[in-house]
Amino acid sequence: MANVSLREVRKDYGSFEAIKGVSLDVRDREFVVFVGPSGCGKSTLLRMIAGLESITGGDLEIDGRRMNEVGPADRGLAMVFQSYALYPHMSVADNMAFSLRLAGVPAAERERKVREVAGILQLGPLLHRKPGELSGGQRQRVAIGRAIVRQPKVFLFDEPLSNLDAALRVRMRIELAKLHESLAATMIYVTHDQVEAMTMADKIVVLQGGVIEQVGSPLDLYHHPRNLFVAGFIGSPTMNLLPASVTAVGPATVTVRLATGTEVAVPVLAGPLRPGDAVTLGVRPEHLNLGADGASGVAGEVLVAERLGGATYLHVRAGGGTMLVVQVDGDTPVHVHDRVLVPVDGHRCHLFGADGLALERTGRHPLADVTRAPRPLTH
Amino acid sequence: MPSSAALGVAPTANAPARRPARRSLSTLPFLAPSVIVLLLWMIVPLAMTLHFSFIRYNLLNPALGGFAGWSNYEFLLTDPALWTALANTLLLVGWVLVITVGLGTLLAVLFDQDFPGRGIARLLVIAPFFVMPTVSALIWKNLMMHPINGVMAFVSRSLGFTPVDWFAEFPLTSVIIIVAWQWLPFALLILLTAIQSLDHEQREAARMDGAGPVSMFVFIILPHLGRAIGVVVMIETIFLLTVFAEILVTTSGGPGLATTNLAFLIYMRALLEFDVGGASAGGVIAIVLANIVAFFLVRAIARNLAT
Ligand SMILES: Nc1ncnc2c1ncn2[C@@H]1O[C@H](COP(=O)(O)OP(=O)(O)OP(=O)(O)O)[C@@H](O)[C@H]1O
Ligand SMILES: [Mg+2]
């Protein structure tokens, strides 16, 4: 069992408040990812959980026990650092066995455990090498192995893949996901890469400026962003955010008019909105497409066409200075300076009030609340 | 014209594979002047020393002269003073190294911690390195170790002990203390910068692995310092083999030969006995000794650097 809970945790560096009251529950065997822009306090929060950074206020509990004053080695956690932080003068085997050696585990037992973990991570042939003689990906695996050997309650990762090249990152991502399943471990993972967050997380925590903006499953965040920040942060390319004004308010729809004159009916609860109020309409590039001539929609001129092969991102300038990114199929024969028509489907849109908060949708996306069922423990 | 020369070189940029071969050919004339100057700088004094060591050359007796064969060496090598001086040299170098590296490492760990007034404390601990050897030897002789006026004598008197006459009772130890005091800041400075270059995350990883202060020192910091310690040992050895001013100022090599090292012995032969030939022979022996030490040092340190 390994439940981590944070209660109104805060961190001050002198007069600067890096973490401004964070409350969060990490359940047993959950894969939780912290994402957010640079400097938002992800690493600080993780290091506070690890015990490497003191906690200025609030409580940190692991399995119901208050851990604020417990030393980093005694919290039952293991951490994998961005720079791997391997001990350069020790062999791979010694690196992995270091914590056991300090704990006074007999040599034979140490060797057995290291071999076992090396087997999981395919490090067997490298055990006698020094970290300097390994590739980046191998070092990464040693760092993970060093964490596994300790059999921690919770694994902490601080941007572990950011030093690897793109192909290796994809491979390690899959390996990590597999490892999470086979170890049945609780993991807290910091990244600024939203693909890592979306693909690996059971639960994503979006941080900004030391506060939590939203906590939810990846698809919850994707389909039901709580505010403009989360809407803009999750998804690539980022969501189109267009200024609009409310023209009509129904029981389950709000109709808005864009600067181009296009009217869109969005299925959200109006709340206190009145006709004439200024709002922001959000729609993801992948939820837009080109319409046939004569259809209703936003008309504009293609300024840039980014062709990725499978998909093409069109940057379209519409009337009223509106810029729109549209994701179309890679085979679409569109060229720069073509005039195109982009229909906007209200069911795919989000509305944000003047305070930046999203208006509640009338129905939840069917996949938004699906969580990866934790695998039953086999032993 | 320089511009046309530059233009003539430019096309080689298209053939990078051929570049290295060309470079090794063309740079020799540019290297030669400095190599020649350095060679002359070394070779001329060395040759003169070798030459003097094989002739009879005493300033007190100019009539004496001519080829001496090995007699200067014979005289020196059969002189028991040489062996005493050799032993003193090695004792001095060895003990100062042990003290400066040992104490320097501990102090470096200490000064790496955060404590109030660290900046001033660092400045103070570095200060002895900027004091001239003659001056620091005089200070130690007259202010610290003097059996009547010295601070140490004062302390032992106020504690009820008989003051120690340092230079009479423990002459070599006294010189070692003075020289170690001078070289400690150097060791500390190098080792402190080395400690501070230790990767922060490595320490944190060790902390998470359960390393307390002692294990951290033994398993993480000390191996990291290996290289820096090697550098300190090498540089200090070079200078410590030729310690002279401290001995001249405090004990003048005495009592007897108790604090005479090789450098001081050569000085006695050359400038007290005016025996240039004998002193040169001593110089050659010093060169041989330095090379033997250097051989082992460089081998040990090269291995250290390779890993
Ligand atoms: N030791 C420190 N003293 C003062 N301020 C600090 C200290 N460490 C971090 N901060 C500040 O705290 C904030 C959060 O830092 P943190 O390292 O947690 O960011 P991050 O979210 O991990 O960013 P990145 O994605 O760039 O790693 C930053 O604004 C940073 O300047
Ligand atoms: Mg960080």
Side-chain angles (χ1 to χ4, degrees):
Chain A
M1 285 293 286
N3 294 295
V4 180
S5 70
L6 305 171
R7 295 274 158 269
E8 278 301 309
V9 164
R10 41 185 75 249
K11 173 78 194 175
D12 299 340
Y13 287 115
S15 62
F16 176 73
E17 209 175 8
I19 300 290
K20 301 167 184 152
V22 163
S23 299
L24 178 71
D25 277 302
V26 178
R27 281 182 293 111
D28 188 34
R29 282 181 282 151
E30 208 169 23
F31 198 122
V32 174
V33 175
F34 295 170
V35 286
S38 187
C40 68
K42 307 179 293 283
S43 301
T44 306
L45 194 56
L46 193 76
R47 291 162 52 79
M48 283 159 78
I49 297 174
L52 296 172
E53 210 76 70
S54 64
I55 297 174
T56 314
D59 298 313
L60 165 71
E61 287 180 5
I62 299 175
D63 286 341
R65 215 182 122 213
R66 195 179 127 95
M67 286 287 175
N68 287 35
E69 274 78 42
V70 177
D74 304 322
R75 294 189 183 188
L77 315 171
M79 183 148 167
V80 177
F81 293 84
Q82 180 174 358
S83 66
Y84 317 140
L86 299 177
Y87 313 123
H89 49 275
M90 296 185 199
S91 69
V92 167
D94 290 343
N95 260 284
M96 285 167 54
F98 187 57
S99 59
L100 302 177
R101 182 167 162 195
L102 291 178
V105 176
E109 168 100 9
R110 285 198 313 246
E111 164 132 12
R112 191 183 59 72
K113 281 196 173 168
V114 167
R115 293 226 160 268
E116 190 183 310
V117 173
I120 300 176
L121 295 167
Q122 291 124 46
L123 288 171
L126 308 176
L127 280 179
H128 60 277
R129 292 217 205 151
K130 294 270 173 72
E133 301 159 357
L134 300 177
S135 75
Q138 291 167 337
R139 275 180 225 180
Q140 181 63 70
R141 285 217 294 278
V142 175
I144 294 171
R146 188 171 64 181
I148 297 177
V149 165
R150 296 186 52 200
Q151 296 181 313
K153 291 190 210 165
V154 183
F155 286 89
L156 308 175
F157 295 90
D158 192 353
E159 307 202 18
L161 306 187
S162 56
N163 287 347
L164 305 179
D165 68 53
L168 196 55
R169 207 177 305 170
V170 173
R171 235 178 56 208
M172 288 302 298
R173 214 162 70 201
I174 295 165
E175 276 189 39
L176 269 177
K178 277 196 218 147
L179 211 59
H180 173 234
E181 171 137 353
S182 64
L183 295 175
T186 309
M187 295 187 170
I188 304 179
Y189 188 103
V190 166
T191 181
H192 58 250
D193 182 309
Q194 54 158 307
V195 179
E196 279 174 29
M198 296 296 283
T199 52
M200 294 198 285
D202 294 314
K203 182 150 94 186
I204 296 181
V205 178
V206 182
L207 286 162
Q208 193 206 190
V211 294
I212 293 185
E213 293 285 353
Q214 189 172 1
V215 180
S217 72
L219 290 186
D220 184 23
L221 264 56
Y222 181 82
H223 292 293
H224 300 281
R226 200 177 67 86
N227 55 25
L228 276 172
F229 177 78
V230 178
F233 192 79
I234 301 288
S236 169
T238 53
M239 185 187 277
N240 294 295
L241 297 169
L242 311 170
S245 66
V246 178
T247 55
V249 172
T253 49
V254 173
T255 308
V256 298
R257 181 188 287 125
L258 299 175
T260 57
T262 318
E263 295 227 336
V264 184
V266 187
V268 294
L269 302 177
L273 276 190
R274 294 283 158 265
D277 286 352
V279 291
T280 305
L281 179 100
V283 58
R284 298 193 183 278
E286 55 267 40
H287 295 152
L288 292 172
N289 216 326
L290 300 184
D293 280 346
S296 73
V298 178
E301 178 194 359
V302 176
L303 288 189
V304 179
E306 296 177 304
R307 299 185 185 280
L308 303 185
T312 300
Y313 300 142
L314 303 176
H315 295 249
V316 176
R317 184 171 59 195
T322 312
M323 284 298 299
L324 209 58
V325 181
V326 183
Q327 179 180 338
V328 298
D329 190 82
D331 295 335
T332 315
V334 193
H335 302 283
V336 175
H337 302 310
D338 283 359
R339 292 208 59 85
V340 294
L341 189 75
V342 184
V344 181
D345 177 5
H347 290 273
R348 294 301 201 130
C349 292
H350 307 263
L351 269 193
F352 302 92
D355 53 1
L357 290 181
L359 299 181
E360 197 187 329
R361 299 182 74 85
T362 47
R364 280 187 70 75
H365 191 278
L367 293 179
D369 299 313
V370 174
T371 48
R372 224 181 300 165
R375 204 176 63 138
L377 282 176
T378 44
H379 41 84
Chain B
M1 238 169 87
S3 59
S4 65
L7 278 176
V9 173
T12 51
N14 297 331
R18 269 163 53 208
R19 260 184 150 176
R22 273 195 185 193
R23 189 173 339 166
S24 64
L25 268 181
S26 57
T27 49
L28 196 59
F30 299 101
L31 279 173
S34 41
V35 171
I36 289 170
V37 167
L38 278 175
L39 261 180
L40 287 179
W41 199 271
M42 265 174 50
I43 295 288
V44 170
L46 183 66
M48 283 176 71
T49 309
L50 277 172
H51 171 67
F52 287 150
S53 72
F54 284 107
I55 58 173
R56 287 193 195 88
Y57 188 3
N58 193 317
L59 299 178
L60 290 181
N61 194 351
L64 210 72
F67 185 65
W70 292 98
S71 71
N72 280 328
Y73 289 95
E74 234 178 272
F75 182 70
L76 199 70
L77 288 174
T78 51
D79 183 357
L82 176 76
W83 302 107
T84 316
L86 264 179
N88 284 340
T89 306
L90 294 181
L91 275 176
L92 182 66
V93 172
W95 276 111
V96 172
L97 280 179
V98 168
I99 294 172
T100 53
V101 170
L103 220 56
T105 311
L106 290 181
L107 281 176
V109 172
L110 203 69
F111 276 83
D112 188 41
Q113 315 294 319
D114 225 353
F115 57 87
R118 182 166 73 157
I120 293 175
R122 265 189 206 173
L123 190 70
L124 288 178
V125 84
I126 304 296
F129 201 50
F130 298 111
V131 179
M132 275 183 287
T134 341
V135 175
S136 74
L138 278 173
I139 290 173
W140 275 94
K141 183 183 179 185
N142 296 322
L143 289 181
M144 299 298 294
M145 293 175 159
H146 197 281
I148 296 158
N149 309 321
V151 172
M152 286 162 129
F154 171 76
V155 169
S156 39
R157 256 200 311 276
S158 36
L159 292 178
F161 299 110
T162 338
V164 178
D165 186 356
W166 282 89
F167 292 105
E169 291 172 49
F170 310 104
L172 190 59
T173 311
S174 308
V175 173
I176 288 172
I177 290 174
I178 295 172
V179 177
W181 180 79
Q182 278 176 359
W183 281 93
L184 182 61
F186 173 75
L188 171 63
L189 206 61
I190 303 263
L191 295 175
L192 184 59
T193 42
I195 283 191
Q196 286 175 341
S197 75
L198 178 56
D199 177 36
H200 206 66
E201 291 199 333
Q202 225 180 85
R203 280 192 212 210
E204 292 183 334
R207 262 177 75 198
M208 298 228 38
D209 274 344
V214 175
S215 324
M216 182 80 84
F217 179 75
V218 173
F219 294 115
I220 308 293
I221 294 179
L222 215 50
H224 175 76
L225 286 184
R227 227 170 254 216
I229 289 178
V231 170
V232 169
V233 168
M234 187 142 74
I235 294 180
E236 281 195 10
T237 306
I238 292 167
F239 285 93
L240 292 178
L241 280 172
T242 60
V243 165
F244 176 74
E246 293 85 341
I247 296 172
L248 180 71
V249 170
T250 54
T251 60
S252 290
L257 290 172
T259 55
T260 300
N261 67 353
L262 214 48
F264 201 82
L265 185 72
I266 294 168
Y267 161 79
M268 291 202 306
R269 286 278 177 281
L271 294 174
L272 300 183
E273 297 165 19
F274 300 98
D275 180 4
V276 178
S280 296
V284 172
I285 287 174
I287 293 169
V288 172
L289 175 74
N291 275 292
I292 292 172
V293 173
F295 173 76
F296 286 112
L297 265 182
V298 169
R299 239 183 36 165
I301 287 165
R303 197 180 311 130
N304 197 338
L305 289 180
T307 53

